[in-house]
Amino acid sequence: MARADIREVVPTSEGTEFDVVVIGGGPGGYATALYGASAGLSVAVVERDKVGGTCLHRGCIPAKEFLETAAVVRTVSEAKEFGVQTGAPSVDFAVSQGRKQKVVDQLHKGLAGLMKGRGITTFEGIGTLLPGRRVRIVGAEGATSEIGGRHVVLAAGSLPRTIPGFEVDGRFVLTSDEVLALDSLPASVAVIGGGAIGCEFASMFSDVGTQVTVLEALPSILTGCDDDVVAVVARSFRKRGIAVHTGVSVHGHTPDGASTTVAFGEGQSVTVDAVVVSVGRRPRSEGLLAEGTGVTVDERGFVVVDELMRTGAEGVFAVGDLVNTPQLAHVGFAEAIVAVKTMLGEAAVPVDYTRVPWAVYCHPEVAFAGLTEAAARAGGFDVVVQKDPFGGNSRARIIGETDGLVKVVAERGPDGRAGRILGVHMAGPWVTEQLGQGYLAVNWEATVDEVAHFVQPHPTLSEGFGETVLALTGRGLHVG
């Protein structure tokens, strides 16, 4: 029986025509559908599983749900500092898993209802682009149908990358897919990869009582983040007993009973209950394109597009993880809007990938937009930099979360003073919810004088940004 949000695929002799056919119902795909339907276009979405994609079902949402479980554990553990007497917390991960699934199911139901309400037709099956903007759909039972569109948007998403010597078996070796389906916690894990996802998993596991080792091939964790922000997270990880090894390669693992030993570096090893492979994601382009479509795929499997998300085939676009841009749901949303505006003949502003917002939900959290200090200097900018530790922030003291800082990178003007804001970088409590004003400042190319004019509410965590900018004018209040 077809799911409630899915229209069952049946063979059709003449096919069905739409203004837009979208292959893939993840963030990039469903955003295309919703935005296009809002503009009055007839839209079809071809989805092999459930609308919402990796982000909703096996990525952003379930991962952050478990990170919130970790935050509750921290809160209970530290409750006595606020005069609240509690015992040592324990975690029933099966209950956490149930709550996660409830949240996911509610969001999925809401999304499916929203799409239905806007008249979007959703087909269950695997979509393949044919020449002439035709899409072949193969359903679960092998039934085949074909539909066509004036425009086609490829949004097939991505899959977790794997590495040789660590074949995913669901027991010892896990990717994000398997981790987010666990109903019990391993006593120890090795996380291979110290990027955003790896650090989120390392932080979550540590907070719920698992012993964690992070193995990263690059010289630092959180590559791409500002050095001062990375230092905050690295210091926190050390204090919490998370072992971090950077600049090391992994050489395979050897199971023995209920555990396995991971070999890494120069003769080093660690024995753990599970290995989490977190080395990025690859585009899901296999089988997506038939011969003769005119769409180009690069050597890494990414669909090649221009700044307006157009492929080499007339009327065919690609968005989201399928293209070589930051693999973020909100980037997929933005690319979808660019694609739809372009097909409508409206003025579309290409996404500036150097200025998109980034959020990492480890503890402490990380959020940033724009150039790091190192990138700005490497780009030839003469910069002025100001940092404000959260230790001096009243609200941070009240909630007992003082690790972290706000850092603003500004261009030095002809008069020697700080001018245009180039980057805003944060590590600390709830910074993922504080980045909004920093993101707007960077993308509106605001100057420190312009931003300093605005009044910040007190006491809030967000006033740290305002204080930092005010200090860049040369006349700070609480920040020197």
Side-chain angles (χ1 to χ4, degrees):
M1 180 179 294
R3 292 183 295 272
D5 66 306
I6 295 293
R7 168 177 158 175
E8 186 177 5
V9 174
V10 295
T12 56
S13 57
E14 299 180 359
T16 307
E17 302 301 312
F18 297 87
D19 292 325
V20 186
V21 175
V22 185
I23 302 179
Y30 76 67
T32 300
L34 291 171
Y35 197 75
S38 294
L41 300 176
S42 61
V43 182
V45 173
V46 181
E47 170 54 45
R48 66 171 63 213
D49 189 6
K50 296 179 179 179
V51 293
T54 293
C55 177
L56 176 54
H57 298 283
R58 296 174 301 281
C60 312
I61 303 305
K64 276 54 177 181
E65 165 63 26
F66 288 146
L67 283 157
E68 193 60 28
T69 295
V72 173
V73 172
R74 289 197 307 273
T75 299
V76 175
S77 299
E78 299 164 2
K80 62 183 178 181
E81 295 184 16
F82 294 83
V84 179
Q85 301 304 314
T86 62
S90 62
V91 178
D92 185 338
F93 208 62
V95 175
S96 300
Q97 183 69 250
R99 186 179 192 278
K100 177 268 290 186
Q101 196 58 49
K102 180 179 179 181
V103 170
V104 169
D105 290 345
Q106 289 171 332
L107 291 172
H108 172 243
K109 181 179 179 181
L111 174 60
L114 182 61
M115 293 175 67
K116 181 178 180 181
R118 294 197 189 173
I120 297 166
T121 303
T122 307
F123 294 90
E124 178 182 13
I126 298 173
T128 300
L129 178 67
L130 309 175
R133 297 189 297 278
R134 308 295 299 173
V135 175
R136 181 175 65 238
I137 307 169
V138 179
E141 303 301 322
T144 301
S145 63
E146 188 176 307
I147 59 177
R150 291 175 52 234
H151 304 91
V152 174
V153 179
L154 307 175
S158 61
L159 297 165
R161 291 188 183 277
T162 57
I163 52 179
F166 291 89
E167 287 68 33
V168 178
D169 58 14
R171 180 186 179 192
F172 291 121
V173 181
L174 318 172
T175 66
S176 56
D177 287 357
E178 290 76 30
V179 170
L180 296 172
L182 291 174
D183 57 11
S184 62
L185 291 167
S188 58
V189 299
V191 178
I192 300 177
I197 298 173
C199 284
E200 287 183 350
F201 280 138
S203 184
M204 182 273 288
F205 275 121
S206 177
D207 283 339
V208 296
T210 297
Q211 183 62 47
V212 180
T213 300
V214 177
L215 305 173
E216 170 56 55
L218 296 175
S220 172
I221 60 172
L222 294 175
T223 298
C225 294
D226 190 89
D227 290 344
D228 286 310
V229 165
V230 174
V232 170
V233 177
R235 183 170 59 248
S236 172
F237 277 18
R238 285 194 301 271
K239 288 165 58 177
R240 292 153 63 192
I242 300 174
V244 177
H245 299 270
T246 56
V248 297
S249 298
V250 291
H251 311 301
H253 72 107
T254 305
D256 182 12
S259 62
T260 190
T261 299
V262 179
F264 67 93
E266 299 296 328
Q268 296 171 277
S269 65
V270 60
T271 300
V272 293
D273 293 337
V275 180
V276 178
V277 178
S278 182
V279 292
R281 301 182 65 85
R282 60 181 177 85
R284 192 177 216 148
S285 53
E286 300 94 336
L288 179 64
L289 306 171
E291 292 290 332
T293 64
V295 176
T296 301
V297 176
D298 70 15
E299 67 281 358
R300 298 175 60 197
F302 291 105
V303 173
V304 178
V305 294
D306 66 9
E307 64 178 8
L308 296 177
M309 314 315 298
R310 296 175 297 196
T311 71
E314 181 69 25
V316 180
F317 300 74
V319 300
D321 288 3
L322 194 61
V323 299
N324 193 13
T325 57
Q327 293 180 322
L328 304 167
H330 46 278
V331 168
F333 297 158
E335 291 172 342
I337 292 171
V338 170
V340 173
K341 279 180 171 287
T342 300
M343 65 181 70
L344 288 170
E346 299 176 355
V349 178
V351 179
D352 184 346
Y353 298 106
T354 66
R355 298 180 180 181
V356 298
W358 291 77
V360 185
Y361 295 82
C362 57
H363 179 69
E365 290 186 349
V366 171
F368 65 94
L371 298 177
T372 65
E373 179 180 354
R377 295 188 188 280
F381 289 100
D382 183 11
V383 300
V384 184
V385 175
Q386 182 68 48
K387 294 178 278 190
D388 178 18
F390 272 109
N393 180 279
S394 302
R395 181 67 172 162
R397 285 287 170 189
I398 290 168
I399 66 175
E401 294 278 355
T402 56
D403 282 349
L405 54 76
V406 177
K407 179 176 180 177
V408 178
V409 180
E411 183 179 16
R412 191 186 304 275
D415 59 359
R417 299 179 64 249
R420 178 168 57 118
I421 296 175
L422 300 174
V424 177
H425 308 272
M426 302 177 177
W430 290 98
V431 294
T432 57
E433 299 293 338
Q434 298 176 53
L435 184 62
Q437 56 183 331
Y439 167 78
L440 290 174
V442 168
N443 280 269
W444 271 342
E445 300 185 342
T447 66
V448 297
D449 286 336
E450 290 168 337
V451 174
H453 172 74
F454 294 102
V455 178
Q456 300 285 336
H458 174 80
T460 61
L461 295 169
S462 60
E463 69 182 311
F465 169 71
E467 291 271 6
T468 308
V469 172
L470 188 61
L472 277 169
T473 70
R475 296 179 180 177
L477 292 180
H478 302 93
V479 182

